[in-house]
Amino acid sequence: MNTLFYSLVLLAGILLVVAYLTWLERKFAGRMQSRIGPQRVGKPWGLLQPIADGAKLLVKEDIIPQATDKTAYNLAPIVVILATTLVFVTIPLGKSVVLVDLNVGVLFILAISSLALIGIFMAGWGSANKYAILSAMRGVNQLISYEIPLVLACLVPVILAGSMKLSSIVLAQSKVWFIFYPFLGQIAFLIFLVSALAEANRIPFDITEAESELIAGYTVEYSGMKFAFLWLAEYIHLLAVSLVGSILFLGGWNGPWLPSGLWLALKTLLLFLLILWIRWSLVRIRLDQILALSWKVLFPLSLATLILAGGWSFIF
Amino acid sequence: MTIEKLKDKIKEKFNLDCQVEVGLVKILVPKESWGTLAEFLRFEAEFNYFSFITAVDRKEKFEMVARVENLEEKTACEFTTEILPNETLSTLSELWEGAVWQEREVFDLFGIKFENHPDLKRILLPEDYTGYPLKKEFPLDKHYEPYR
Amino acid sequence: MNLIAEQIETYKSIIETEGDTLLVNMGPQHPSTHGVLRLVLKLKGEEVVKIEPVIGYLHRGFEKLSENLTYIQIVPLTDRMDYLASITNELAYVLTIEKALKIEVPKKAIYLRVLTAELQRIVSHLVWLGTFGLDLGGALGGGSTLFLYCFREREIILDLFEEFSGARMMYNFNQIGGLRYQPPLDFFSKLKATLPKLKQAFAEYEEMLQENYVFKVRTKNIGVLEVSLAQRMGASGPVLRGSGLAYDIRKAYPYSGYENFEFEIPIGENGDCFDRAKVRILEMKQSLRIIQQALKGMPEGEVAIRPPVRVPTAVKVPAGETYMHIEAPRGDLGVFLVSDGTEKPYRLKWRAPSFSNLAVLPFISNGHKVADVMAILGSLDPVFGEVDR
């Protein structure tokens, strides 16, 4: 009963937080682009904008194009949002605030979040649209090449902490956060950030969306709530990335004076803003350049970091 | 090649008189030597830059005007010929690639056909359009089929 | 029912098995085709095998329309050609008529024409830079940041134009024999006040050109256009100069008093997208230089050979052929006028720079990726009002 209650609260919380993250992004982008951002809906600072957006998408007509592969097309948004939301099961949101503290937490997160790409491929294939298919192909390419550096970068904290359990990883950082380990921490964090951006399909790696050539990629044939699901999933994924990043590298809820949950929230917000900053100041890189970056730079670098981490934990 | 030298050369080779302005030669060529003159202008006089080709509907005949330039020496050449409405003209697109679209435009709006053109089809108007709007005989007071 | 079966058939043949190529039809409704271009792409994976631009969706028959309008009525029509650089279209047309009529305009009008033409060049290049950002990617990201920054600067200049002529984009401002209006009293002081802002902004763009790694990676060695091909294609303006030929009609055939101004012609080296971008950004700085000189030497006096009247008397151009070309922001904008002595032109041919520049696209984009095609298209900077006329 307790678990059920907690998971309901978690789900509602995620949706609310994500909705306001989109608001935050729009405000942030507005400030970066010397404009104001949303301000009309909800008097102070357009605070009701995400709710208005949600309502608009809910009442929109759900158009299913005739030539689509119905099963794949209808199932895809569910798969995507399921895969991205399920990650939160094992992420601790504060000291002992966690649904299931799996002892293979990191592995679980990596495995489940990659499933979202199956949903993206289903959306692309099921849409029966050439842009969508191209986008889905790009997505698979990108996933295969970025999964490896991501996993290797996530293994560095695992080796340093000696556990895959997220709470133990945080506990291991109670004295020094992993990002402050000389060279090792920073490089691993950088690899993590870059490959996580690629996994989350954010600029400069958002070639699956690529509105300048593929219009909106795999979401091109979706409308109404199905589109909202795909779009929400992107932000949920981003939230998960920021949370996991702050747990693995930024010391989780460790910090003086403030309560543990607040520390984690602050770090997550910081990471999220960093990602936004990158997004609103760079243009997109090409597919082949993205793959080259992964295989020629990140992959060898992450292997080297892993060896370094092994040496570190052997010596100290 | 200076303008004066060019004038003499054209006189010698094609037996044509040209009108000379500052940095510009205007030549009226017979239809038959249109292609050979163009070849001469392209390779010997080195007019590399293709500015435009167009037609003027003089009702009983078409006046074809093409302009090429030499950008380094800042000289230009306008060569003109006259053809009858159902005659064809040899293409310039083998000498200047820029003529491909320009000649398509002339074909589209005047209905003049070019020999050996690689891709002669309508460019600005829809493919199923009938009629050639820049001809003087094109009616202005009625819808032209297919009207959309 | 038949229709549905047909559609399903289309779905099944979605990957045309012509080798392993995929035929993609981009546009005419597509976010980065700059209006209404249709591109038929043949792709092998991500690589472009063949590309065919299909134009004509914005064809409004200017050349036919002009044959049925008087010379004075055509001026506002020219605004609608290259709608991002209206003043240069007007200027090209008006200079042609003035050349045919052999009339001289007052010195102040000449200076103001240069001043406005250069402001217009800056406006046009700013729109190009912004949309180029969108083409490189990130309409919801960095690209739109660049876009909005460019529009911020463009707005300053458009406000000035609005004060001068009453319109923001379609000015109808150059007239045969001068300008329509005297500038407002505080126009020059306001313009002087905005110049430092523009200068600062251009410095930022130049910095982006030199230091933004992602921008460089996306534009260097993409869409290399050789200078000989560029000439044969009739490509002009920044596209030609990007390929390394310092040809600018303002220097080569000075018109409207450009011989009195000092400026340089920026050129590129390789003829790739980066060079075309570089040329445009450096050109904006040179335009600023010309504006400063024009402001310094601005004479006093009338701006037209006769004051504006309510019902203009008809202009009759003596029979003959006239050709005049000017350096529009997009290149060599030529007007070929055949007149028969009446108050309407017999034939008015526009040599549109965008038309010739766009024709280059199939020649330089083969073998590149789909994303590069958009970058190349953006760097050619076609405006479809002008391509289709």
Side-chain angles (χ1 to χ4, degrees):
Chain A
M1 201 56 219
N2 214 357
T3 320
L4 185 65
F5 178 71
Y6 180 83
S7 36
L8 279 177
V9 167
L10 185 69
L11 197 61
I14 289 169
L15 288 178
L16 195 71
V17 166
V18 161
Y20 277 91
L21 284 182
T22 63
W23 173 86
L24 178 71
E25 164 148 37
R26 291 174 69 170
K27 272 290 185 199
F28 185 83
R31 291 295 167 191
M32 272 197 75
Q33 302 181 340
S34 69
R35 52 190 178 87
I36 301 168
Q39 54 160 346
R40 295 291 167 92
V41 191
K43 242 323 158 194
W45 320 305
L47 270 176
L48 295 180
Q49 187 67 46
I51 293 163
D53 285 346
K56 187 203 81 172
L57 286 169
L58 259 177
V59 297
K60 259 196 157 180
E61 189 191 349
D62 183 27
I63 300 165
I64 303 174
Q66 210 111 46
T68 49
D69 184 337
K70 298 283 182 309
T71 332
Y73 179 83
N74 291 330
L75 210 57
I78 301 167
V79 171
V80 173
I81 205 154
L82 204 69
T84 44
T85 323
L86 209 59
V87 171
F88 286 88
V89 165
T90 185
I91 298 179
L93 299 174
K95 205 179 270 178
S96 73
V97 189
V98 63
L99 194 59
V100 192
D101 199 4
L102 284 176
N103 54 358
V104 285
V106 177
L107 185 67
F108 179 80
I109 288 169
L110 289 172
I112 294 293
S113 66
S114 320
L115 281 181
L117 207 101
I118 294 177
I120 287 175
F121 190 76
M122 278 162 74
W125 185 259
S127 295
N129 180 309
K130 291 179 186 178
Y131 297 120
I133 288 174
L134 273 174
S135 149
M137 285 179 350
R138 286 178 173 193
V140 173
N141 260 332
Q142 199 179 340
L143 178 94
I144 290 170
S145 20
Y146 274 89
E147 197 70 2
I148 299 166
L150 182 71
V151 170
L152 293 181
C154 286
L155 275 183
V156 172
V158 169
I159 287 177
L160 293 178
S163 166
M164 274 200 175
K165 208 173 183 174
L166 286 169
S167 54
S168 331
I169 290 177
V170 175
L171 220 63
Q173 298 181 70
S174 53
K175 285 206 183 66
V176 188
W177 303 351
F178 285 152
I179 193 173
F180 292 128
Y181 280 42
F183 300 115
L184 183 61
Q186 291 92 3
I187 292 171
F189 179 67
L190 204 68
I191 295 168
F192 172 81
L193 191 68
V194 171
S195 18
L197 274 179
E199 290 268 302
N201 296 325
R202 295 295 276 190
I203 281 178
F205 305 106
D206 71 333
I207 48 166
T208 52
E209 255 189 58
E211 77 294 316
S212 62
E213 65 260 20
L214 301 185
I215 308 180
Y218 60 95
T219 56
V220 69
E221 294 286 2
Y222 283 91
S223 62
M225 213 50 208
K226 285 194 190 117
F227 172 74
F229 268 23
L230 290 173
W231 179 66
L232 267 180
E234 203 184 307
Y235 280 87
I236 296 174
H237 193 144
L238 215 57
L239 180 64
V241 161
S242 315
L243 261 171
V244 171
S246 45
I247 286 172
L248 290 185
F249 292 97
L250 301 181
W253 58 77
N254 287 316
W257 308 306
L258 295 174
S260 64
L262 204 57
W263 265 112
L264 189 60
L266 273 178
K267 286 169 186 169
T268 309
L269 193 67
L270 194 75
L271 211 50
F272 185 76
L273 287 177
L274 178 67
I275 292 172
L276 286 195
W277 187 16
I278 294 171
R279 178 181 188 185
W280 293 98
S281 45
L282 289 181
V283 291
R284 187 177 303 123
I285 324 182
R286 230 165 44 212
L287 174 65
D288 56 328
Q289 290 162 345
I290 288 179
L291 298 189
L293 177 68
S294 169
W295 291 109
K296 289 183 185 163
V297 181
L298 293 182
F299 180 53
L301 200 63
S302 55
L303 274 179
T305 330
L306 198 64
I307 293 164
L308 201 64
W312 184 284
S313 61
F314 183 71
I315 295 164
F316 299 101
Chain B
M1 201 180 289
T2 59
I3 292 290
E4 290 306 315
K5 225 171 138 190
L6 182 69
K7 189 185 169 187
D8 296 341
K9 203 114 188 229
I10 290 170
K11 179 81 191 162
E12 176 194 316
K13 263 198 137 159
F14 297 94
N15 197 22
L16 291 169
D17 286 316
C18 20
Q19 210 182 326
V20 175
E21 287 173 27
V22 183
L24 173 71
V25 191
K26 282 184 177 175
I27 318 163
L28 180 69
V29 286
K31 178 186 166 279
E32 292 74 36
S33 44
W34 174 263
T36 45
L37 178 82
E39 219 162 291
F40 165 77
L41 290 173
R42 166 81 176 81
F43 293 113
E44 284 180 50
E46 290 185 331
F47 284 106
N48 287 327
Y49 176 81
F50 187 80
S51 186
F52 69 86
I53 177 169
T54 190
V56 181
D57 185 5
R58 297 283 188 190
K59 289 191 180 127
E60 66 279 358
K61 65 191 181 207
F62 283 117
E63 195 181 303
M64 303 294 300
V65 186
R67 183 187 165 96
V68 290
E69 289 180 31
N70 185 331
L71 303 184
E72 278 95 1
E73 290 176 23
K74 289 167 192 156
T75 51
C77 174
E78 272 180 33
F79 50 112
T80 312
T81 188
E82 282 167 352
I83 59 169
L84 294 173
N86 46 17
E87 277 182 327
T88 58
L89 196 65
S90 58
T91 181
L92 301 179
S93 57
E94 284 158 5
L95 302 167
W96 294 279
E97 282 94 328
V100 175
W101 275 29
Q102 300 266 6
E103 285 178 351
R104 272 176 72 185
E105 190 190 324
V106 172
F107 167 73
D108 192 2
L109 302 176
F110 287 93
I112 296 163
K113 290 197 174 68
F114 293 90
E115 294 155 22
N116 300 331
H117 189 282
D119 187 23
L120 198 64
K121 59 184 182 197
R122 286 194 180 269
I123 184 166
L124 294 176
L125 299 171
E127 277 160 29
D128 51 355
Y129 197 83
T130 53
Y132 301 101
L134 275 183
K135 280 185 174 175
K136 289 284 173 188
E137 68 195 31
F138 186 82
L140 292 172
D141 50 356
K142 72 176 175 82
H143 295 320
Y144 220 78
E145 288 303 322
Y147 175 70
R148 287 181 261 233
Chain C
M1 206 53 224
N2 208 359
L3 194 70
I4 297 168
E6 212 171 85
Q7 275 170 340
I8 290 173
E9 209 48 48
T10 326
Y11 164 52
K12 279 181 184 158
S13 67
I14 213 155
I15 296 173
E16 263 102 328
T17 44
E18 220 183 278
D20 289 325
T21 54
L22 177 73
L23 202 68
V24 178
N25 179 43
M26 272 188 185
Q29 293 91 11
H30 188 279
S32 53
T33 48
H34 289 243
V36 282
L37 171 68
R38 185 174 145 223
L39 292 173
V40 183
L41 296 173
K42 200 183 253 185
L43 302 178
K44 195 165 194 175
E46 285 270 326
E47 205 177 292
V48 177
V49 182
K50 194 172 165 248
I51 177 168
E52 195 197 345
V54 180
I55 63 172
Y57 291 92
L58 205 57
H59 181 58
R60 290 154 292 172
F62 273 172
E63 290 173 10
K64 188 68 181 175
L65 260 173
S66 309
E67 289 175 13
N68 300 289
L69 292 172
T70 63
Y71 285 106
I72 293 172
Q73 284 172 330
I74 293 170
V75 179
L77 193 65
T78 59
D79 284 341
R80 275 84 182 160
M81 280 240 319
D82 179 352
Y83 42 78
L84 294 178
S86 304
I87 281 184
T88 40
N89 296 333
E90 287 169 10
L91 190 60
Y93 173 73
V94 161
L95 285 174
T96 314
I97 308 295
E98 280 163 8
K99 187 180 175 189
L101 288 169
K102 297 190 178 62
I103 50 175
E104 294 266 324
V105 294
K107 203 162 177 232
K108 187 172 182 186
I110 290 178
Y111 265 70
L112 276 170
R113 277 178 178 178
V114 170
L115 183 83
T116 48
E118 293 307 316
L119 278 174
Q120 184 73 80
R121 190 183 311 277
I122 293 175
V123 168
S124 169
H125 283 352
L126 280 173
V127 175
W128 162 78
L129 184 60
T131 47
F132 190 51
L134 296 183
D135 287 337
L136 286 181
L140 293 173
S144 69
T145 309
L146 180 58
F147 180 74
L148 284 162
Y149 279 22
C150 289
F151 268 59
R152 182 185 64 188
E153 270 89 60
R154 176 179 183 254
E155 204 65 14
I156 303 171
I157 303 176
L158 286 194
D159 284 346
L160 285 171
F161 275 143
E162 194 179 357
E163 261 179 56
F164 201 155
S165 68
R168 283 165 56 83
M169 281 177 84
M170 308 295 164
Y171 308 104
N172 187 17
F173 161 85
N174 281 311
Q175 295 296 309
I176 298 163
L179 301 183
R180 188 172 276 255
Y181 315 101
Q182 279 279 3
L185 290 177
D186 56 350
F187 178 75
F188 296 121
S189 58
K190 276 189 180 168
L191 179 57
K192 260 176 210 153
T194 58
L195 291 183
K197 279 187 218 166
L198 292 176
K199 202 165 194 169
Q200 195 197 345
F202 297 161
E204 273 177 31
Y205 299 140
E206 220 183 326
E207 198 182 311
M208 176 195 81
L209 205 62
Q210 278 157 3
E211 289 174 15
N212 192 322
Y213 176 74
V214 177
F215 184 82
K216 271 196 217 163
V217 160
R218 279 302 305 278
T219 50
K220 281 218 164 155
N221 293 322
I222 303 299
V224 176
L225 176 64
E226 280 171 30
V227 68
S228 61
L229 178 67
Q231 286 193 39
R232 275 179 278 129
M233 294 297 298
S236 51
V239 178
L240 180 63
R241 288 195 284 275
S243 295
L245 185 71
Y247 175 73
D248 190 320
I249 298 168
R250 289 177 291 175
K251 285 261 193 212
Y253 303 97
Y255 55 90
S256 189
Y258 267 108
E259 61 273 14
N260 305 327
F261 296 95
E262 250 181 57
F263 61 98
E264 284 154 23
I265 309 173
I267 55 166
E269 290 150 21
N270 307 321
D272 51 15
C273 290
F274 180 81
D275 280 346
R276 291 191 276 273
K278 187 175 91 181
V279 165
R280 287 199 180 91
I281 289 173
L282 295 180
E283 238 175 60
M284 289 199 277
K285 285 176 78 182
Q286 296 300 329
S287 291
L288 214 57
R289 246 177 98 186
I290 298 175
I291 290 166
Q292 273 161 344
Q293 290 170 42
L295 273 175
K296 208 175 273 172
M298 183 64 66
E300 289 296 315
E302 287 299 311
V303 293
I305 48 174
R306 60 168 170 72
V309 285
R310 225 177 157 69
V311 184
T313 46
V315 172
K316 282 186 185 169
V317 174
E321 290 177 4
T322 319
Y323 181 75
M324 175 80 202
H325 55 167
I326 69 166
E327 185 74 27
R330 280 164 193 81
D332 177 1
L333 176 66
V335 185
F336 180 68
L337 171 76
V338 180
S339 52
D340 56 353
T342 60
E343 66 267 29
K344 292 174 182 172
Y346 189 77
R347 168 100 175 88
L348 189 68
K349 152 86 183 167
W350 286 90
R351 189 235 175 257
S354 296
F355 184 81
S356 298
N357 289 356
L358 182 67
V360 171
L361 182 68
F363 289 82
I364 56 174
S365 47
N366 281 358
H368 285 302
K369 303 278 185 288
V370 193
D372 290 336
V373 172
M374 292 303 143
I376 294 168
L377 179 65
S379 75
L380 294 176
D381 190 20
V383 166
F384 283 84
E386 194 178 61
V387 173
D388 296 341
R389 277 157 289 154

